[in-house]
Amino acid sequence: MTFTLREDSALLKPVTVGGRTLANRVFMAPLTRTRAEADATPSELAATYYAQRAGAGLIISEATAVSKSANGAYLNTPGMYNDRHQQRWAEIAEAVHAEGGRMFVQLWHVGRMAHPDISGGETVGPSPVAADLMARTATGKKPLPVPRALSTGEIAGIVADFRAAARRAVDAGMDGVEIHSANGYLLHEFLSDVVNRRTDAYGGSPQNRARFTAEVVEAVAAEIGPERVGLRISPGNGAGDMSEVDEVSAYELLLCRIASLGIAYLHVLIEPSQPAFAALRTQWEGTLVLNTPREIDSDFGLLENLADWGVISAAAVGRAYLANPDLIDRLTAGAELNEPDPTTFYAPGPAGYIDYPTLSELAEPRSA
Ligand SMILES: Cc1cc2nc3c(=O)[nH]c(=O)nc-3n(C[C@H](O)[C@H](O)[C@H](O)COP(=O)(O)O)c2cc1C
């Protein structure tokens, strides 16, 4: 596949995000690569992988757990909750900055998507409603358990975990963090009017369903400054067996509540024809990053048009960056894009991770 961005394409223009000028508006979407060490320290190869992709206006890292109990949906996903993790993330930040890149770390709690065989602990969520999915554990596929509903005290503890992880990310030299409130993980589960059946201050009305994500954004913004905070949402996205009858109200309330904070960006994973996109786009006056859902390959023509019209501030693309470390160069030149290989998305080791060739390496292959 090829696509040539026009010379005057808005996607190739710099954009100011949270007071920083980024070189272009084609961001790297967060991509879990399951190559972390058993103690959730990012892989030693991660610095190379991310530095290779420093041409992205902004790199958003793979989802990263805010505590040990926040992890456990997949084997070998990283964390940001101890000194060893922080040290490895610091090496990654340094490598990306050395190549002129900018990077935010995506922070998550996996909620009801955790399996005890992976997490080593109990599976929790807003309400005892299981995801009808199988987890890939070290000993085979197993159904996800019915989660235990979190107490309000535990919710406050998780808000504090996000805050502490964000502090570590910035102390590691990262440019900021993205709060993961999308794709069926804990914060998205609270936003949903189907999965969240609580009757306390965190369930029921759209305000109540938006409360947990709002509190996390506020706490993290207070800790590291709003200009270092992004938020990812995916209204109506069915990942993680998630469903929402009302795809709009809780998100509108969430955006109302956080609007005055002035965070770096709102990142929406949505098909632009969904009614929720128009509703939220009209409402959000800040920087808006769009990523289209995973069934649809990035349509660069659509993204270019939306950026030219000022509908979006930037586009985030996932698999195209996974397979093309020099994606911006290729889109500028209209060069053939490497095809991503799904068999190595979640495989261990360097294959399919740090060995996708750049254009110049194709012209002059790496020596053995
Ligand atoms: C291998 C893989 C890993 C992913 N990991 C994450 C993740 O950690 N956090 C997240 O928010 N989305 C994750 N996603 C979703 C992507 O960010 C993105 O929304 C999706 O791939 C669609 O964009 P694309 O067509 O440009 O790839 C992942 C997708 C893929 C293919």
Side-chain angles (χ1 to χ4, degrees):
M1 181 201 142
T2 61
F3 186 83
T4 316
L5 287 172
R6 287 192 337 275
E7 223 172 282
D8 62 348
S9 174
L11 288 176
L12 292 174
K13 298 207 164 91
V15 60
T16 305
V17 173
R20 288 181 164 68
T21 303
L22 308 176
N24 61 65
R25 298 161 189 245
V26 187
F27 296 178
M28 179 173 163
L31 295 166
T32 290
R33 305 305 310 277
T34 62
R35 283 158 169 91
E37 297 176 10
D39 72 347
T41 302
S43 158
E44 276 187 342
L45 303 174
T48 303
Y49 165 72
Y50 284 117
Q52 286 173 341
R53 288 157 180 78
L58 180 69
I59 295 172
I60 304 160
S61 83
E62 65 209 271
T64 301
V66 297
S67 66
K68 186 166 185 333
S69 53
N71 224 345
Y74 313 100
L75 292 161
N76 304 111
T77 50
M80 183 67 92
Y81 53 85
N82 67 34
D83 291 349
R84 185 157 188 262
H85 302 160
Q86 187 179 325
Q87 178 51 39
R88 188 61 56 79
W89 283 111
E91 291 163 19
I92 296 167
E94 198 182 337
V96 168
H97 288 154
E99 293 297 323
R102 295 283 188 186
M103 183 164 179
F104 276 35
V105 174
Q106 190 188 49
L107 297 178
W108 70 350
H109 185 304
V110 303
R112 70 174 189 155
M113 291 295 289
H115 193 283
D117 285 7
I118 305 173
S119 66
E122 199 183 3
T123 298
V124 295
S127 307
V129 181
D132 186 13
L133 291 170
M134 308 291 273
R136 280 173 195 272
T137 75
T139 50
K141 286 190 182 180
K142 297 185 184 170
L144 285 171
V146 176
R148 178 179 62 75
L150 288 165
S151 70
T152 49
E154 287 175 306
I155 291 172
I158 293 170
V159 172
D161 290 339
F162 269 92
R163 186 176 181 136
R167 166 53 54 200
R168 282 189 181 276
V170 167
D171 287 351
M174 288 289 170
D175 297 292
V177 302
E178 176 175 286
I179 310 298
H180 193 352
S181 188
N183 294 0
Y185 300 104
L186 185 67
L187 296 177
H188 190 189
E189 292 160 17
F190 272 77
L191 283 159
S192 162
D193 57 349
V194 176
V195 166
N196 180 347
R197 302 197 182 157
R198 302 173 74 94
T199 53
D200 65 0
Y202 291 91
S205 67
Q207 287 96 322
N208 283 354
R209 284 184 274 119
R211 190 181 306 280
F212 193 0
T213 299
E215 287 181 354
V216 169
V217 173
E218 287 164 356
V220 170
E223 181 68 33
I224 62 172
E227 72 284 357
R228 293 179 189 274
V229 183
L231 170 66
R232 186 175 225 211
I233 56 173
S234 59
N237 189 300
D241 190 31
M242 179 56 60
S243 54
E244 289 159 291
V245 175
D246 174 4
E247 298 180 7
V248 179
S249 309
Y251 295 95
E252 282 178 336
L253 270 296
L254 170 63
L255 299 191
C256 283
R257 177 160 160 174
I258 66 167
S260 63
L261 292 175
I263 62 169
Y265 64 82
L266 175 70
H267 183 177
V268 191
L269 170 57
I270 199 164
E271 162 53 43
S273 60
Q274 275 175 250
F277 179 65
L280 301 179
R281 167 61 288 190
T282 317
Q283 186 190 344
W284 183 252
E285 290 179 359
T287 300
L288 185 110
V289 183
L290 174 71
N291 178 219
T292 48
R294 76 170 66 189
E295 298 78 30
I296 309 165
D297 257 317
S298 299
D299 177 345
F300 291 106
L302 171 71
L303 297 172
E304 184 174 51
N305 274 328
L306 291 171
D308 285 346
W309 276 75
V311 179
I312 61 172
S313 318
V317 303
R319 286 162 297 179
Y321 264 120
L322 187 157
N324 295 276
D326 56 346
L327 181 65
I328 289 291
D329 296 343
R330 289 177 190 244
L331 293 176
T332 307
E336 186 71 29
L337 300 181
N338 296 326
E339 277 295 315
D341 174 7
T343 65
T344 51
F345 282 1
Y346 307 112
Y353 190 49
I354 56 167
D355 60 355
Y356 282 105
T358 60
L359 284 177
S360 52
E361 284 165 352
L362 282 174
E364 200 177 316
R366 282 188 201 114
S367 51

